[in-house]
Amino acid sequence: MEQEFNNTINNGKITGTTTGTEKKVNVSVKSDTEEFEIIAKTFMGLENILAEELTQLGANNVQTGRRMVSFTGNKELLYRANVQLHTAIRILKPIAHFKARSADDMYDEIMKIDWSKYIGQGKTFSVDSVVYSEEFRNSRFVTYKVKDAIVDQFRERTGERPNISVTNPDIRLNIHIAEDNATLSLDSSGESLHIRGYRQNKVEAPLNEVLAAGMIMMTGWKGETDFIDPMCGSGTLLIEAALIARNISPGVFRKEYAFEKWPDFDRDLFDEIYNDDSQEREFKHHIYGYDIDMKAVNSARLNVKAAGFSQDITIEQQDFKDFTKPAEKSIIITNPPYGERISTPNLLNTYNMIGERLKHEFSGNDAWILSYREECFEQIGLKPSIKIPLYNGSLECEFRKYAMFDGKMKVFRNEGGIIKTEEEKKEMAQKHRFKQEREFKQRLTDTESNESGDIRSFKFFSFEKNHLGESLRKEKRPSRNRFDNDDNGFERKGRYQDKGRRSFGNDDRRQDRGRRSFDNDDRRQDRGGRRSGNDRGGKYAARGGFKQGGGKKSFRKDSDRQRGE
């Protein structure tokens, strides 16, 4: 049921009903009990998956929008959302909602806010603008107007002005304008949350980490079987699968979060959340990755080591045409080349080969394939049980499930085999998803890709738990400030070049935080090395990645299940 944005806001808080899904994280009595509005941003097609994650995390008033999910929670939930969500790219905390019909209105409303509560003396700040308005057509103009109001207020009250920092500010602000409705928020994340921190090397057109996690979660796989990616590239799907299988928070590799610079930052509470491993679980199966390109294999192995999953993930050089039936029950999730960013000789023949291998060597298992071209899917030659619209960067793709079986479909069904679940039948019956609400294979411009600005925050849709996703809505797209291009579905450069990519060398907070350990005989036998206060030392000190301490990279020798590592 659609709900207008203004009607969902009551004195800066969202109103609505709480979903009835069981919550797996209890709110600590130590945290602030006051709840406030929070917005989690994601990619189109992953809204319902993110809403499920938030519900399980303990969020209230969960409502899905376009490329975003709104909810209410306290400070603990804000921290947990940043650290523990797999499918969020940014967490915002709105601090003001107002009408802005002109530049003067904008300036006056910003001046009403007491900025000394948010920006301390000597601190820097930046503003990111997202605009969908006939009045404000230039997002940079909005950015400058907000900055001017903040700076002028400090000059009037203190005689000094705060500095602006685009690359590494202390406080990050986000303003979203939909027609004359403006929402000003604190950005609690900093770098886009898809930048986990484990990627040491990449190949051409790597799959976004948030998208990879969303794909896996759409399948319902949580580690019950072996996992295979026969075209693994740099290993993103493999590592995200390992995080999901062990239920490890994807934020444990992060160097920092923007909320750590906020005046009200609660270090003890954050340390408690960071060190919380109560929901982690054992993974009794294995993850396999293959690629024909040895460069990709080497990149994937390096990333797997950095993430500390050498014992869970095996990567080998192998052509998909040589794929043979796995010995154990397995699932395949893969992202073959589309012929868009990666040129592939005989692209259609490649997809024909994929279909042939699946039919002859993967019976009794499910395969999920993300691709872009309809003619590629046609070459697979198999009937999918479900088709899910999903964006990969600027490409409108489909994520298709193939339930593999021996013999003819009629015989398989007569023997009690299930091709489509009732939920999949219901989803596939919504044919308008493709015919009316989007044109398959439609290309978007670079500025209209999966950017953080594509939040239509003036409309929400009630969330009903459904991991298969729901229809997408065609709407006009907002303009974007060029300073925030970090959420476009791919790794980016420029905005944080002074920080650079997080490595595991000298200036890496993970060196201090340490590595998670999943050795059977060494799984957190004492908590003496856990993260506490300014001391990041010890936690997860040997998960198979780079050794702790010092500035040089050093690989831990893995004696068990190296399997090509």
Side-chain angles (χ1 to χ4, degrees):
M1 179 179 68
E2 291 191 13
Q3 202 168 352
E4 291 297 324
F5 177 74
N6 289 335
N7 292 336
T8 65
I9 302 299
N10 182 13
N11 295 325
K13 297 181 181 180
I14 296 180
T15 60
T17 58
T18 304
T19 55
T21 307
E22 181 181 355
K23 303 168 186 176
K24 70 176 184 181
V25 177
N26 295 322
V27 177
S28 171
V29 295
K30 289 177 55 180
S31 65
D32 296 341
T33 58
E34 179 186 358
E35 290 203 351
F36 46 83
E37 175 192 0
I38 308 174
I39 293 175
K41 296 158 61 176
T42 189
F43 295 140
M44 184 178 289
L46 299 183
E47 297 92 342
N48 288 326
I49 300 296
L50 176 56
E52 286 185 32
E53 283 199 273
L54 284 165
T55 302
Q56 293 170 357
L57 205 61
N60 295 319
N61 306 308
V62 177
Q63 295 182 319
T64 59
R66 192 169 189 262
R67 300 187 182 185
M68 55 82 70
V69 179
S70 66
F71 59 102
T72 58
N74 57 9
K75 185 184 294 185
E76 176 178 349
L77 188 62
L78 179 78
Y79 293 174
R80 286 191 182 277
N82 276 281
V83 175
Q84 298 178 353
L85 293 177
H86 293 265
T87 55
I89 57 176
R90 193 170 299 282
I91 307 297
L92 301 177
K93 179 184 178 181
I95 57 175
H97 301 277
F98 53 85
K99 294 283 187 179
R101 297 182 176 85
S102 67
D104 289 339
D105 288 347
M106 171 83 62
Y107 182 91
D108 292 342
E109 292 294 337
I110 299 299
M111 285 287 285
K112 291 178 182 178
I113 301 171
D114 182 1
W115 287 105
S116 63
K117 295 180 180 179
Y118 305 104
I119 305 174
Q121 185 176 5
K123 299 294 184 179
T124 61
F125 75 98
S126 68
V127 180
D128 171 45
S129 300
V130 181
V131 179
Y132 181 86
S133 171
E134 292 298 323
E135 178 65 29
F136 303 98
R137 299 190 179 187
N138 190 322
S139 60
R140 292 189 65 187
F141 172 77
V142 173
T143 295
Y144 294 143
K145 205 66 178 176
V146 173
K147 290 178 179 177
D148 288 346
I150 295 173
V151 168
D152 289 349
Q153 183 185 104
F154 274 96
R155 279 176 173 164
E156 290 177 5
R157 295 184 179 183
T158 68
E160 298 180 357
R161 56 158 289 170
N163 292 321
I164 310 298
S165 174
V166 175
T167 56
N168 188 26
D170 295 309
I171 303 297
R172 300 173 187 270
L173 301 173
N174 178 286
I175 184 164
H176 181 275
I177 301 177
E179 299 305 340
D180 61 353
N181 296 313
T183 300
L184 185 64
S185 305
L186 293 172
D187 179 356
S188 70
S189 301
E191 280 191 312
S192 172
L193 296 177
H194 85 273
I195 304 176
R196 309 290 201 214
Y198 59 70
R199 190 186 292 278
Q200 299 296 294
N201 208 346
K202 65 179 181 178
V203 296
E204 188 177 3
L207 189 66
N208 180 281
E209 290 84 346
V210 164
L211 177 59
M215 289 167 58
I216 297 167
M217 297 177 79
M218 280 181 175
T219 71
W221 184 85
K222 295 181 180 179
E224 304 88 346
T225 66
D226 284 356
F227 181 101
I228 301 172
D229 182 359
M231 297 180 169
C232 68
S234 60
T236 305
L237 276 166
L238 307 178
I239 298 172
E240 292 299 321
L243 289 169
I244 291 171
R246 289 195 175 277
N247 203 27
I248 296 172
S249 300
V252 298
F253 306 105
R254 292 273 296 193
K255 184 176 181 179
E256 64 180 358
Y257 295 93
F259 62 74
E260 294 185 74
K261 296 181 180 179
W262 290 3
D264 65 344
F265 174 55
D266 187 335
R267 185 174 299 279
D268 291 337
L269 175 61
F270 181 50
D271 288 345
E272 177 184 332
I273 292 170
Y274 177 83
N275 290 319
D276 180 14
D277 59 3
S278 61
Q279 298 298 319
E280 293 177 12
R281 56 181 174 248
E282 185 180 0
F283 178 44
K284 298 181 180 180
H285 297 278
H286 202 70
I287 298 171
Y288 299 91
Y290 306 96
D291 204 285
I292 191 174
D293 184 1
M294 195 62 205
K295 179 181 178 181
V297 170
N298 289 333
S299 295
R301 287 175 175 172
L302 183 62
N303 293 334
V304 167
K305 278 187 175 291
F309 289 121
S310 297
Q311 295 186 18
D312 294 316
I313 302 174
T314 294
I315 303 173
E316 300 286 357
Q317 183 183 24
Q318 178 178 289
D319 194 332
F320 200 169
K321 70 180 181 180
D322 299 322
F323 178 80
T324 57
K325 187 170 183 176
E328 304 293 335
K329 181 75 174 178
S330 305
I331 185 174
I332 282 179
I333 303 178
T334 193
N335 175 41
Y338 313 154
E340 289 294 312
R341 294 179 297 274
I342 302 177
S343 59
T344 303
N346 302 318
L347 181 66
L348 298 183
N349 288 340
T350 298
Y351 279 81
N352 183 271
M353 175 269 295
I354 291 173
E356 185 272 333
R357 286 290 88 189
L358 291 180
K359 184 164 183 63
H360 292 94
E361 299 292 341
F362 207 58
S363 60
N365 299 296
D366 293 336
W368 291 75
I369 297 176
L370 178 71
S371 192
Y372 165 63
R373 296 178 178 275
E374 180 65 32
E375 55 267 33
C376 292
F377 281 120
E378 291 174 352
Q379 289 299 314
I380 292 178
L382 301 172
K383 186 175 181 179
S385 60
I386 185 69
K387 302 176 184 177
I388 302 175
L390 198 60
Y391 275 82
N392 184 1
S394 61
L395 302 178
E396 283 189 288
C397 299
E398 282 187 12
F399 191 38
R400 296 189 179 186
K401 175 187 175 182
Y402 298 91
M404 308 309 303
F405 54 89
D406 289 321
K408 296 184 177 180
M409 183 181 297
K410 184 177 180 180
V411 175
F412 178 73
R413 281 177 170 166
N414 289 338
E415 293 176 350
I418 298 176
I419 302 298
K420 291 185 179 74
T421 64
E422 291 302 317
E423 193 173 13
E424 289 170 348
K425 289 178 181 178
K426 181 179 178 180
E427 184 71 17
M428 287 295 284
Q430 301 177 23
K431 298 183 183 299
H432 64 274
R433 294 178 308 157
F434 296 104
K435 293 183 178 179
Q436 295 181 8
E437 299 192 4
R438 89 195 243 285
E439 180 182 352
F440 184 62
K441 293 172 58 179
Q442 177 184 351
R443 292 300 305 274
L444 302 178
T445 64
D446 290 339
T447 57
E448 294 176 333
S449 60
N450 265 320
E451 295 173 336
S452 61
D454 290 319
I455 299 177
R456 298 303 303 278
S457 58
F458 58 92
K459 288 185 180 180
F460 294 101
F461 305 92
S462 295
F463 168 64
E464 295 180 1
K465 190 168 183 179
N466 174 8
H467 74 272
L468 292 175
E470 297 188 44
S471 58
L472 307 177
R473 298 181 60 84
K474 268 184 172 289
E475 301 183 46
K476 290 174 66 177
R477 314 185 77 85
S479 63
R480 290 282 300 155
N481 185 349
R482 68 182 180 89
F483 293 122
D484 190 5
N485 60 356
D486 58 317
D487 300 331
N488 61 358
F490 301 97
E491 296 205 14
R492 76 209 183 312
K493 298 178 180 178
R495 188 178 178 187
Y496 300 95
Q497 284 186 355
D498 63 329
K499 286 185 178 180
R501 286 270 174 234
R502 266 207 308 282
S503 65
F504 292 83
N506 288 330
D507 187 25
D508 187 351
R509 194 165 90 174
R510 286 301 304 170
Q511 294 285 354
D512 298 322
R513 285 184 177 178
R515 285 267 176 259
R516 297 177 179 248
S517 173
F518 290 94
D519 297 336
N520 291 333
D521 298 329
D522 188 34
R523 183 181 165 89
R524 298 181 181 83
Q525 292 186 357
D526 72 67
R527 293 180 175 257
R530 285 190 175 277
R531 180 180 183 281
S532 176
N534 290 320
D535 181 10
R536 308 292 190 186
K539 187 185 180 190
Y540 318 134
R543 238 186 73 206
F546 296 120
K547 285 186 178 179
Q548 187 179 357
K552 296 182 179 179
K553 295 178 181 178
S554 173
F555 290 111
R556 181 172 75 91
K557 182 176 180 181
D558 295 302
S559 57
D560 298 326
R561 298 187 73 175
Q562 282 286 326
R563 294 192 176 187
E565 288 293 308

